[in-house]
Amino acid sequence: MKILVAITGASGTLYAQRLLDCLDPKEHEIHVVLSNYAHVVIQEELPEGLRLPPGVQAHGLKSMNAPFASGSNPCDV
């Protein structure tokens, strides 16, 4: 299953971290993208920063190379 976790600047990055901790990159193709303001909120709410498990693919906000940037390659959830 292909999963995209998009993190915005809204409060609640702890929940995004918990989700990433529970997803298994060996069982799923997991992608993460952060809004510009998400970085600020992460600094406030997660003093140690966002921890991406090995195998999770992080993408820049404006990356056109991200698989989900094309409508022909949608995520499952």
Side-chain angles (χ1 to χ4, degrees):
M1 181 179 295
K2 290 188 274 186
I3 300 170
L4 170 60
V5 179
I7 303 172
T8 67
S11 183
T13 55
L14 178 62
Y15 299 113
Q17 182 66 68
R18 288 182 183 171
L19 173 63
L20 290 168
D21 290 343
C22 290
L23 294 172
D24 186 354
K26 294 175 187 161
E27 293 183 23
H28 308 288
E29 181 182 324
I30 304 168
H31 300 271
V32 174
V33 64
L34 307 171
S35 73
N36 290 330
Y37 198 66
H39 297 281
V40 175
V41 176
I42 287 170
Q43 288 178 343
E44 290 292 322
E45 295 185 351
L46 300 174
E48 296 178 18
L50 186 67
R51 298 177 319 276
L52 297 179
V56 172
Q57 300 175 45
H59 302 280
L61 183 60
K62 295 183 179 182
S63 174
M64 294 307 291
N65 294 329
F68 51 86
S70 169
S72 63
N73 189 8
C75 290
D76 295 314
V77 290

